[in-house]
Amino acid sequence: MRPPGQLLAGRNPRQREGGAEPEARRTWFTRDGGRTWREGDLRTTGTAPAIPPGSVLVTDCARPAGPRGDDCVRERLVVVSPQDGRRRALAEAPSLGARPRPAAVAEPDGSWWVSGTDPLSGRAAVAVSRDDGRSWSVARLPSPAAGPGWYTSVAVGQEAVYAAEMGELKGGKPVKNPLRALHRSVDGGRTWERMWTTGPVVEPRSLLGLPVPGRDGRLLIAAEDREYVSVDGGRGFRPSGEGPGFVRRTPIGLLRTATDCRYAISVDGESWAEFGLACEGANP
């Protein structure tokens, strides 16, 4: 059996609305450990019955608006294969409205998560697959708002699953990446409890990337101004003493991006290994 290749996505410097990760405009694929690369094909051809190990889950436009396709009426889930770097539409997808937003990689327990809106109520909802995308379970979140937000970021910890609902806030100073509410599930996403409802004053009121679950109810939120910690599952927060940093899930753990080319990686959300890259702006 040939070993899987590796995928690398180039990023557009423009951010998506709501502080989400920037959209990929170019991708590259390697089969020889990075010695040679070829540019990936951004076209979606065929279907995938499941999400193979090492894949990346993205979206593309399934129904363009107008003859030129300048806008999109409905998006679909697309699997970027680690075997050949090609994009294939996922055969079975959850019903989450016209703009589903998938996590790019699987969580440590192997689950795949997608957020969107409940088609009946229009409220925020999430879906999880535990069989590599062959089937999905959808659950509506107990959102404090009647209308949909921007998106929901899901993070799986050892004790609970957290869903950070992002969207506009009422009252208070405007923030760029507004955290509307924080939800927790202790049964794998079947039922949810709203732990935190963001108000006009009390922090955190924003979130960069993912919430970071730890043990014994510990949870980290990287806000715009600083990092906040909760020791009761998200009911209350205090400053942790650390600065802000964007957190994302990677195949090898949680990656926290700070300033000046400084990074940290963690497999459990508690112990972090810091490192730097030799890039422009890095401290010596």
Side-chain angles (χ1 to χ4, degrees):
M1 179 180 295
R2 298 178 68 183
Q6 294 178 342
L7 302 166
L8 181 64
R11 296 298 184 182
N12 187 320
R14 295 182 301 171
Q15 295 285 328
R16 291 181 181 177
E17 182 183 7
E21 293 186 48
E23 298 180 64
R25 296 301 187 191
R26 301 177 67 188
T27 61
W28 290 265
F29 179 76
T30 180
R31 271 200 176 277
D32 54 13
R35 288 186 291 273
T36 61
W37 294 83
R38 66 173 173 81
E39 187 169 354
D41 190 347
L42 293 181
R43 295 174 300 175
T44 299
T45 57
T47 60
I51 309 171
S55 298
V56 175
L57 194 60
V58 297
T59 61
D60 76 355
C61 187
R63 184 181 167 193
R68 295 189 302 170
D70 295 334
D71 197 6
C72 187
V73 175
R74 180 172 294 274
E75 296 181 354
R76 61 183 172 180
L77 299 183
V78 173
V79 178
V80 186
S81 170
Q83 299 294 335
D84 55 16
R86 297 191 179 279
R87 301 160 63 99
R88 298 174 177 87
L90 186 63
E92 296 293 332
S95 179
L96 287 172
R99 299 287 189 272
R101 185 179 187 271
V105 299
E107 289 292 305
D109 64 354
S111 60
W112 288 89
W113 292 83
V114 181
S115 71
T117 57
D118 175 47
L120 296 179
S121 66
R123 291 176 178 261
V126 294
V128 59
S129 175
R130 302 188 187 281
D131 57 6
D132 299 322
R134 295 178 178 87
S135 63
W136 297 85
S137 298
V138 179
R140 192 177 73 183
L141 298 175
S143 173
W150 289 351
Y151 61 91
T152 300
S153 294
V154 177
V156 176
Q158 298 183 39
E159 301 171 344
V161 184
Y162 290 88
E165 182 184 347
M166 310 295 288
E168 292 90 347
L169 301 176
K170 293 183 178 180
K173 183 180 179 181
V175 292
K176 184 181 295 185
N177 302 288
L179 171 64
R180 176 184 286 182
L182 180 70
H183 311 276
R184 183 178 69 170
S185 173
V186 294
D187 58 10
R190 288 183 289 276
T191 61
W192 293 87
E193 178 184 4
R194 184 173 4 125
M195 308 299 291
W196 175 264
T197 304
T198 305
V201 178
V202 180
E203 297 286 352
R205 302 181 66 245
S206 59
L207 171 66
L208 303 178
L210 294 175
V212 181
R215 298 184 182 90
D216 300 323
R218 183 177 174 86
L219 181 71
L220 296 177
I221 292 290
E224 289 183 9
D225 59 341
R226 67 189 70 183
E227 183 183 79
Y228 294 87
V229 60
S230 173
V231 294
D232 55 9
R235 288 187 173 89
F237 289 89
R238 59 174 174 79
S240 70
E242 298 290 335
F246 191 97
V247 179
R248 72 191 70 191
R249 172 70 66 187
T250 73
I252 61 173
L254 291 168
L255 178 67
R256 182 170 61 195
T257 305
T259 58
D260 297 333
C261 302
R262 300 297 303 176
Y263 300 85
I265 194 82
S266 175
V267 296
D268 58 8
E270 294 190 348
S271 300
W272 296 83
E274 296 186 357
F275 63 97
L277 297 179
C279 55
E280 184 178 356
N283 291 325

